[in-house]
Amino acid sequence: MKKTQFPPSITNLLLQEGQRWMVKGKPRTALGTGIIPIIASARGGKTSLAYSMIDFVVEHTSRPVILDSFPQRVIDEGIPEHWKGRVTNQSFNDIAKIDEPAVWLLDDSATHFNSRSAMSSTNQTLAKSAGVLSHFGGGMTVLFTTQSMSGIDLSLLRYTTISPVIRWVDYDLIPQERKEWRSEIEYAQYQLKRVCKDERLRDFFWSSKDKLLVPSNFPKFLSSNYDPIKADLLSRPMRYHTVEQKEVLLGIVKPPARKRQKKVKIDE
Amino acid sequence: MNNRDLQRKLDRISASRLSRIGEGIPKHVALSDLNSITLRNKFKRMGLKGNHIDSALTMVDEIGFQKILANQPLGSRFASIPQSKKKPQVWKA
């Protein structure tokens, strides 16, 4: 994968702070911190694009990659060989414990960081950390995938540098989008329809900040012809949570309370 | 959506419907003024034809179009200029 695989605004956030790369013959220095929201309807290629970005990070940087709340089975059996040792599975609540310039993937953010769960602990962590992402670990980048911006807590989009990516969105869902995003998503669909041959417009994506169409790079390891089990583990990771974990994610069951550590009284 | 956006949306809907009434109505009837029609009728009655007649009609039509466009926002006026369609901008790695 070339260092110029992605347009400047995305590369700017994927490379580590201070790393250099060339844009149209001129050197640029990466910011290395911010948020990349990826918007598409179900089976629109959000997760595969996020993996492609992670593949870029693994190849061109030394940044650690953290897959938020991914099932352990996906980490153990699903990720490609060259990712091993670079990719871990942690909750976004542990962000304060990470002292490296990590790249986080929050997959299916509408479930984890739903605006209806604004007061959940993870959502609060995200809201508070969005403004100081550049401080933690020397600058962190968050990739998140969602089917609609209207399901995302607004605080995620109010701070830091963002570089939104728009893919195919079902025509009937666009009227339900946030008014701030609706016209951009409509415009992206118009642009995608001009060049895409795939029925779900997956051969390109729209980089909102660069105002550019970008050809999709579908990672080989996601192809079902390559390894159908690994491909499915990565393509729909949430499927591989246990029933209990799925119920907690969907808010059907409350997460188990943390065991309080017993205070030990020191005998004098 | 503000009023200007709404107005443009209605304009686009109107324009798309206008062209679908039968075979559509001529541009000078849709967008120019009364002079464009009466002058055509006069020339027809007098049996006048030729390049000079076409030029006169074009001039009257254009004056009419300009009167209509004078009340439109700059964006609509600019959009009425013939222009080539931009090619999609694609990132080259």
Side-chain angles (χ1 to χ4, degrees), chain B residues 7 17-19 22-23 28 30 38 40 42-44 46 51 54 56 60 63 66 72 75 78 80 85-87 90:
Chain B
Q7 195 179 356
R17 285 182 182 165
L18 199 62
S19 63
E23 291 180 2
H28 71 271
T38 52
R40 271 179 174 78
K42 200 162 207 171
F43 285 151
K44 201 175 175 183
M46 293 167 77
N51 289 341
D54 290 342
V60 174
I63 292 168
Q66 203 173 53
Q72 296 300 314
F78 188 78
S80 65
K85 201 175 178 183
K86 275 188 182 174
K87 284 183 180 174
V90 177

Side-chain angles (χ1 to χ4, degrees), chain A residues 59-77:
Chain A
E59 190 175 335
H60 293 287
T61 74
S62 56
R63 306 180 78 176
V65 177
I66 303 173
L67 309 179
D68 169 69
S69 305
F70 262 50
Q72 192 56 40
R73 191 180 158 198
V74 175
I75 305 288
D76 295 339
E77 300 169 26

Side-chain angles (χ1 to χ4, degrees), chain A residues 2-235:
Chain A
K2 287 183 182 174
K3 211 171 185 179
T4 51
Q5 177 70 36
F6 294 106
S9 75
I10 295 173
T11 310
N12 190 34
L13 304 187
L14 292 179
L15 292 177
Q16 194 168 338
E17 187 180 326
Q19 247 184 301
R20 289 189 154 215
W21 87 108
M22 303 295 279
V23 180
K24 292 180 182 170
K26 290 181 182 173
R28 270 191 68 173
T29 309
L31 183 68
T33 182
I35 297 176
I36 304 178
I38 303 172
I39 305 134
S41 290
R43 312 313 292 164
K46 301 178 291 294
T47 310
S48 69
L49 178 59
Y51 288 140
S52 180
M53 290 181 184
I54 288 174
D55 214 29
F56 176 91
V57 170
V58 169
E59 190 175 335
H60 293 287
T61 74
S62 56
R63 306 180 78 176
V65 177
I66 303 173
L67 309 179
D68 169 69
S69 305
F70 262 50
Q72 192 56 40
R73 191 180 158 198
V74 175
I75 305 288
D76 295 339
E77 300 169 26
I79 62 169
E81 286 302 314
H82 65 287
W83 284 19
K84 286 187 176 162
R86 293 287 302 277
V87 178
T88 51
N89 169 26
Q90 268 167 299
S91 166
F92 199 74
N93 279 328
D94 295 331
I95 188 167
K97 295 173 190 163
I98 311 292
D99 196 25
E100 290 177 290
V103 176
W104 292 82
L105 170 60
L106 314 183
D107 198 29
D108 278 314
S109 311
T111 309
H112 293 290
F113 307 103
N114 197 308
S115 53
R116 287 196 173 193
S117 319
M119 295 316 287
S120 72
S121 63
T122 319
N123 228 330
Q124 283 187 54
T125 309
L126 190 64
K128 287 171 188 168
S129 64
V132 288
L133 269 178
S134 61
H135 298 224
F136 286 178
M140 294 192 186
T141 298
V142 176
L143 309 174
F144 78 79
T145 66
T146 183
Q147 294 189 30
S148 170
M149 293 302 262
S150 54
I152 297 295
D153 191 287
L154 267 178
S155 57
L156 192 60
L157 306 165
R158 282 184 177 140
Y159 310 101
T160 192
T161 305
I162 67 166
S163 180
V165 168
I166 303 169
R167 309 205 76 177
W168 167 71
V169 176
D170 188 277
Y171 180 76
D172 292 313
L173 299 184
I174 296 175
Q176 321 306 328
E177 266 296 347
R178 280 192 199 282
K179 65 181 190 317
E180 299 88 342
W181 288 91
R182 198 179 301 150
S183 59
E184 186 62 28
I185 290 172
E186 277 177 344
Y187 185 62
Q189 302 308 302
Y190 160 72
Q191 290 288 351
L192 288 169
K193 280 175 190 161
R194 292 176 78 187
V195 292
C196 290
K197 288 175 183 159
D198 181 64
E199 59 184 335
R200 276 177 271 156
L201 315 177
R202 288 173 297 183
D203 25 2
F204 286 82
F205 64 85
W206 176 252
S207 170
S208 169
K209 187 151 264 175
D210 300 287
K211 299 285 173 222
L212 280 173
L213 289 157
V214 186
S216 297
N217 172 45
F218 188 70
K220 198 176 161 188
F221 54 82
L222 282 180
S223 168
S224 54
N225 297 331
Y226 185 70
D227 186 335
I229 297 170
K230 278 192 172 189
D232 200 61
L233 277 161
L234 284 169
S235 177

Side-chain angles (χ1 to χ4, degrees), chain B residues 18-33:
Chain B
L18 199 62
S19 63
R20 286 176 197 143
I21 301 171
E23 291 180 2
I25 53 173
K27 195 172 164 188
H28 71 271
V29 179
L31 298 174
S32 189
D33 62 8

Side-chain angles (χ1 to χ4, degrees), chain B:
Chain B
M1 201 178 273
N2 60 34
N3 282 340
R4 184 179 285 183
D5 288 338
L6 279 171
Q7 195 179 356
R8 283 179 187 164
K9 197 169 186 178
L10 285 172
D11 280 351
R12 280 200 297 275
I13 293 168
S14 308
S16 68
R17 285 182 182 165
L18 199 62
S19 63
R20 286 176 197 143
I21 301 171
E23 291 180 2
I25 53 173
K27 195 172 164 188
H28 71 271
V29 179
L31 298 174
S32 189
D33 62 8
L34 195 62
N35 293 332
S36 292
I37 300 167
T38 52
L39 198 63
R40 271 179 174 78
N41 201 30
K42 200 162 207 171
F43 285 151
K44 201 175 175 183
R45 275 205 327 267
M46 293 167 77
L48 296 172
K49 282 179 184 173
N51 289 341
H52 60 301
I53 299 296
D54 290 342
S55 301
L57 286 173
T58 304
M59 187 185 71
V60 174
D61 286 350
E62 284 176 353
I63 292 168
F65 296 152
Q66 203 173 53
K67 275 184 193 166
I68 298 284
L69 287 172
N71 298 324
Q72 296 300 314
L74 189 60
S76 300
R77 288 158 67 180
F78 188 78
S80 65
I81 300 169
Q83 46 197 306
S84 57
K85 201 175 178 183
K86 275 188 182 174
K87 284 183 180 174
Q89 301 286 304
V90 177
W91 172 250
K92 284 175 187 157

